[in-house]
């Protein structure tokens, strides 16, 4: 779909002091790389929205400049600039008296598409953001909050802009829906590869979405910019350390690939193979296709199977998923499977600890 090349957004010594003397942004130097998601995070009032709005010139800097590719945005036509930048806000900001398809098609029509083309394009975009086509003729009030946010994203993408600005787009929806929207955005981004600048208060959202995260402090001061893994493992100062929240160590495990976890075959028992009554360890029974059927406890028989609730994929998952598999397993063992759900082997807590230690020393 993406025909427009993406562009880097660069802040060079940008400050914003409002008329009443409030310093909202203080000498910001930051590069938001093309085709990547940069997340602005920080406490309320630290200048996230102000920084975001200086990108599309809704706010003018008091000092410094913002570049799109290598052009100073203050020299670009404001209306043309905004068409190059999809903008999504918390309440979705939909036109209440227009249908969903017309909401999405507004900008394409402004840009010269016929109404019919715009509706076709709206249908494509709805599919892309995971909305049922039957919703096209509804009005915003007839949609749930999460569905409205999807419309907001579809509308922002309608002009195929190289840059997408998102100001707390998911914060008004409940946590489950919010997580779905985050995953949907990540999936969509693998297809569209836009330069996305995403504002949030929520550090978990930032860690999930950000290729890079910019942590702001009150007074509009940028404290640290780094990938999520670095922010978790090596916060620049006590403020960032504190802001990253509790469970930093566990969150960090989400960034360590599980591909070198040692796996064992002992304890994997093919179906039909009798489990010795005096066996001392847990046995994972697998079917003819090597897929897990269930666990047999020490001393029990294979009639008494316990569910294998969670597996992990060494080729795709991180250590956190492997640990989850071990914690949810009655045997305390993580079950590694391939893309066809065939068992590759088992890993103990000690095996996982070995991998974690190796990752720490490589850091
Ligand atoms: N038009 C304005 N006039 C004066 N001060 C303003 C104006 N707009 C914002 N501010 C102040 O500038 C600072 C930064 O505001 P901004 O909206 O950028 O913060 P934010 O990080 O987006 O906060 P939040 O997380 O609450 O949305 C705040 O102290 C705010 O009160
Ligand atoms: Mg804000």
């Amino acid at each position: 779909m993406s025909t427009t090349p993406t562009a880097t957004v660069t802040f060079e010594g940008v400050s914003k002091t409002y008329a009443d003397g409030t310093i909202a942004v203080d000498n910001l130097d930051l590069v938001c790389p093309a085709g990547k998601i940069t997340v602005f995070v920080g406490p309320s009032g630290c200048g996230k929205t102000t920084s975001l709005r200086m990108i599309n010139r809704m706010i003018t800097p008091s000092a410094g400049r913002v570049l799109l590719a290598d052009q100073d945005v203050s020299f670009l036509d404001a209306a043309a600039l905004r068409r190059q930048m999809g903008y999504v806000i918390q309440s979705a900001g939909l036109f209440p008296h227009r249908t969903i398809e017309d909401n999405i098609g507004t900008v394409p029509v402004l840009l010269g598409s016929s109404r019919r083309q715009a509706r076709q394009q709206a249908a494509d975009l709805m599919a892309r953001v995971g909305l049922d086509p039957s919703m096209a003729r509804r009005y915003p009030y007839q949609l749930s909050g999460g569905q409205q946010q999807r419309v907001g994203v579809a509308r922002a993408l309608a002009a195929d802009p190289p840059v997408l600005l998102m100001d707390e787009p998911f914060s008004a929806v409940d946590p489950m829906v919010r997580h779905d929207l985050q995953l949907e955005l990540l999936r969509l981004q693998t297809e569209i590869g836009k330069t996305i600048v995403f504002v949030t208060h929520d550090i978990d959202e930032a860690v999930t979405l950000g290729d890079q995260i910019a942590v702001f402090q009150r007074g509009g001061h940028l404290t640290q910019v780094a990938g999520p893994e670095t922010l978790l493992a090596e916060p620049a100062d006590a403020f960032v350390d504190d802001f990253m929240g509790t469970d930093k160590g566990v969150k960090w495990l989400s960034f360590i690939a599980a591909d070198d976890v040692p796996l064992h075959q002992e304890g994997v028992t093919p179906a039909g193979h009798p489990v010795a009554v005096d066996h001392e360890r847990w046995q994972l029974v697998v079917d003819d296709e090597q897929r897990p059927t269930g666990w047999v406890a020490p001393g029990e028989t294979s009639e008494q199977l316990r569910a294998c609730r969670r597996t992990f994929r060494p080729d795709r998952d991180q250590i956190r998923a492997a640990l989850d598999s071990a914690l949810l397993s009655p045997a305390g063992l993580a079950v590694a499977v391939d893309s066809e759900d065939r068992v590759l082997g088992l890993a103990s807590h000690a095996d996982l600890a070995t991998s974690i230690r190796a990752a720490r020393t490589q850091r």
Side-chain angles (χ1 to χ4, degrees):
M1 161 190 170
S2 202
T3 48
T4 322
T6 56
T8 303
V9 172
T10 309
F11 292 84
E12 281 184 358
V14 174
S15 296
K16 176 67 187 181
T17 308
Y18 284 108
D20 64 357
T22 305
I23 299 174
V25 178
D26 183 16
N27 197 15
L28 175 63
D29 286 308
L30 176 65
V31 177
C32 307
K36 300 283 180 197
I37 302 181
T38 297
V39 178
F40 292 178
V41 73
S44 186
C46 67
K48 304 180 295 293
T49 296
T50 302
S51 300
L52 191 77
R53 289 185 175 175
M54 288 193 285
I55 302 173
N56 68 0
R57 287 186 55 190
M58 289 169 75
I59 295 175
T60 311
S62 317
R65 44 184 212 153
V66 180
L67 307 176
L68 175 64
D70 22 12
Q71 287 184 297
D72 184 337
V73 297
S74 64
F75 296 129
L76 300 173
D77 173 64
L81 178 72
R82 276 173 218 152
R83 264 181 252 124
Q84 292 189 58
M85 298 194 177
Y87 187 47
V88 189
I89 54 175
Q90 183 172 350
S91 56
L94 304 179
F95 304 116
H97 303 301
R98 289 194 196 164
T99 60
I100 299 311
E101 62 184 0
D102 288 347
N103 260 284
I104 298 171
T106 301
V107 175
V109 167
L110 283 177
L111 292 175
S113 292
S114 71
R115 207 155 271 281
R116 226 184 107 196
Q117 285 169 328
R119 288 197 168 156
Q120 181 53 51
Q121 203 191 348
D124 294 344
L125 283 161
M126 286 179 66
R128 224 161 231 281
V129 299
L131 282 171
D132 195 279
S134 68
M135 293 178 180
R137 300 282 160 88
R138 291 202 205 167
Y139 288 88
Y141 77 89
Q142 295 168 313
L143 264 53
S144 73
Q147 289 163 345
Q148 290 183 30
Q149 287 310 121
R150 288 171 192 262
V151 177
V153 173
R155 190 177 59 171
L157 290 172
D160 192 20
V163 177
L164 206 52
L165 307 178
M166 308 182 82
D167 195 347
E168 308 211 27
F170 306 149
S171 49
V173 292
D174 72 62
M176 289 287 283
V177 174
R178 184 170 182 159
H179 192 61
D180 286 347
L181 290 169
Q182 290 164 357
L183 297 182
E184 194 74 20
L185 180 66
L186 285 174
R187 189 198 55 75
L188 192 63
Q189 173 69 347
T190 63
E191 292 171 14
I192 60 179
K194 303 286 183 192
T195 306
I196 299 180
V197 185
F198 189 107
V199 169
T200 182
H201 281 98
D202 177 354
I203 191 61
D204 290 324
E205 183 163 76
V207 167
T208 302
L209 294 178
D211 293 306
Q212 83 173 358
I213 301 173
V215 185
F216 287 75
Q217 219 171 336
R218 274 212 182 73
H221 175 67
L222 178 64
T223 309
Q224 187 175 9
V225 191
E229 186 191 340
T230 305
L231 283 181
L232 289 165
E234 295 159 42
D237 61 16
F239 172 79
V240 178
D241 194 6
D242 191 40
F243 195 78
M244 297 306 287
T246 51
D247 309 331
K248 282 181 279 282
V250 174
K251 282 179 198 153
W252 176 74
L253 296 178
S254 305
F255 294 92
I256 312 305
D259 55 356
D260 65 351
V261 172
L263 300 177
H264 307 281
Q265 298 308 316
E266 306 91 73
V268 180
T269 305
H273 187 285
V275 174
V277 189
D278 58 351
H279 64 109
E280 281 173 4
R281 60 163 88 218
W282 284 82
Q283 302 289 322
L284 179 69
V285 180
V286 295
D287 66 13
D288 296 340
E289 310 285 323
Q290 194 72 10
R291 298 198 173 97
T293 326
W295 289 99
V296 183
E300 291 183 357
T301 70
S302 36
E303 271 107 64
Q304 295 158 288
L305 285 182
R306 315 212 186 170
C308 173
R309 292 167 62 196
R310 171 101 153 91
T311 57
F312 77 100
R313 294 254 312 265
D315 62 324
R316 182 195 67 182
D317 289 338
Q318 282 67 40
I319 295 270
R320 190 167 175 169
L323 193 61
D324 209 37
S325 172
L327 292 171
L328 289 174
S329 145
L333 296 167
V335 180
V337 296
D338 66 10
S339 59
E340 306 285 311
D341 201 30
R342 289 180 297 237
V343 174
L344 297 169
L346 305 174
S348 66
H349 287 282
D351 295 323
L352 297 177
T354 304
S355 283
I356 293 167
R357 258 198 306 279
R360 286 178 67 100
T361 50
Q362 278 163 24
R363 198 167 78 207

